[in-house]
Amino acid sequence: MKRNQKGITLLSFLFVLALVGFFGFLFMRLFPVYSEYYSAVNDIKAVTQASGADKQALPQLKDSLYRRFQISYVDSVNLDKHIKLRTEKEGKKVLDLNYEVRKPLMYNLDFVAKFERSFPVTGRAEAE
């Protein structure tokens, strides 16, 4: 009598294990870069939506961002190079974030993550 076997072979198991390990390795390399980006985005949103932010000049906004970046451990964003303040036609201020991160992946391979985002400086007043 021939019995049917169920399951995967050792070779298939090793292949699946290698595939899971590779994607786990990629996740461990990419996660810190994206985590830092989302921290920077949250800090910039908090500064641009703070009360009176629309009346502040760029140096005051950068000072507030510098303090928040220090607390959030945002090291890849250079405030002088990567943050620009522009005024749109309607007189509204917009803060632009534009930077890229280049980190080693494995051996002689690097990965590049490029981030671009604009934030309107609303300076909405706090509720009384």
Side-chain angles (χ1 to χ4, degrees), residues 50-128:
S51 179
D54 54 341
K55 294 171 182 54
Q56 292 181 343
L58 184 59
Q60 289 86 16
L61 291 173
K62 282 185 177 181
D63 184 53
S64 298
L65 282 174
Y66 175 77
R67 293 173 190 207
R68 286 184 171 270
F69 284 177
Q70 290 296 314
I71 294 170
S72 301
Y73 298 107
V74 177
D75 298 325
S76 297
V77 178
N78 184 332
L79 293 174
D80 295 326
K81 293 180 185 177
H82 304 133
I83 304 259
K84 304 290 183 215
L85 183 67
R86 64 181 163 89
T87 305
E88 292 183 336
K89 294 178 184 177
E90 301 85 26
K92 296 180 181 178
K93 292 181 182 179
V94 176
L95 200 65
D96 292 326
L97 173 67
N98 185 359
Y99 75 103
E100 70 179 37
V101 178
R102 181 180 302 262
K103 297 244 177 159
L105 185 60
M106 66 176 82
Y107 302 112
N108 62 347
L109 293 176
D110 291 348
F111 74 89
V112 177
K114 186 174 182 179
F115 301 105
E116 294 179 7
R117 189 147 176 197
S118 297
F119 303 89
V121 182
T122 57
R124 60 181 177 196
E126 297 177 14
E128 294 181 8

Side-chain angles (χ1 to χ4, degrees), residues 17-28:
L17 189 64
L19 200 59
V20 168
F22 176 73
F23 283 110
F25 173 76
L26 284 178
F27 177 78
M28 287 189 326

Side-chain angles (χ1 to χ4, degrees), residues 38-49:
Y38 287 116
S39 293
V41 166
N42 288 334
D43 291 344
I44 293 172
K45 281 182 181 178
V47 168
T48 57
Q49 294 175 356

Side-chain angles (χ1 to χ4, degrees), residues 6-37:
K6 297 181 181 179
I8 60 174
T9 64
L10 179 62
L11 188 61
S12 299
F13 176 72
L14 291 176
F15 178 73
V16 169
L17 189 64
L19 200 59
V20 168
F22 176 73
F23 283 110
F25 173 76
L26 284 178
F27 177 78
M28 287 189 326
R29 289 292 194 171
L30 295 174
F31 178 76
V33 173
Y34 282 95
S35 175
E36 182 181 42
Y37 167 70

